[in-house]
C-alpha cells in the first residue's frame, strides 16, 4: 500500500513548482518482512528570455525494512539550463 500527495503551482512570469511525497509498504514474495518505501521530489521551472528556462530538481528515495540487501537510498539534485533557438 502506498499513499501519495502532490502539489503543483504555476504563475505566469514566475514559472512552476511541483512537489510530490509518497510513503508506503510492500510485501515480499519470499515471505520476508515488509519493505518500507519513502520518496519525495521537488521540481521547479523558472522562465528566462524567449523559450529558455532554468530547472531545479531534487529527488530522495529510501527503501528499507527487509535487511541489508534491500535497504538503500538515493538522492539526486540538479540544475538544468534549457536553451531553445
Amino acid at each position: 500500500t502506498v499513499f501519495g500527495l502532490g502539489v503543483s503551482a504555476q504563475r505566469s512570469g514566475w514559472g512552476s513548482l511541483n512537489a510530490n511525497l509518497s510513503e508506503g509498504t510492500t510485501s515480499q514474495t519470499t515471505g520476508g518482512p515488509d519493505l518500507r518505501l519513502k520518496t519525495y521530489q521537488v521540481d521547479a521551472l523558472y522562465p528566462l528570455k524567449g523559450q529558455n528556462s532554468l530547472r531545479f530538481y531534487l529527488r530522495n528515495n529510501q527503501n528499507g525494512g527487509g535487511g541489508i540487501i534491500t535497504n538503500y537510498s538515493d538522492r539526486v539534485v540538479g540544475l538544468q539550463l534549457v536553451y531553445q533557438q
Side-chain angles (χ1 to χ4, degrees):
T1 304
V2 177
F3 297 98
L5 174 66
V7 176
S8 181
Q10 183 173 5
R11 182 170 176 168
S12 180
W14 285 26
S16 62
L17 175 68
N18 297 299
N20 297 294
L21 172 68
S22 63
E23 186 170 345
T25 59
T26 185
S27 300
Q28 296 188 60
T29 58
T30 59
D34 287 348
L35 299 175
R36 293 183 310 274
L37 314 166
K38 294 181 182 180
T39 301
Y40 66 81
Q41 182 171 335
V42 176
D43 191 3
L45 189 67
Y46 180 76
L48 301 172
K49 285 190 172 191
Q51 294 183 339
N52 304 322
S53 59
L54 190 60
R55 177 180 174 235
F56 168 77
Y57 54 94
L58 168 68
R59 184 184 71 216
N60 183 56
N61 293 316
Q62 293 179 333
N63 297 341
I68 294 287
I69 294 174
T70 57
N71 288 343
Y72 78 91
S73 66
D74 67 30
R75 292 170 188 87
V76 177
V77 177
L79 186 62
Q80 179 181 22
L81 174 63
V82 180
Y83 176 75
Q84 298 179 4
Q85 293 184 355

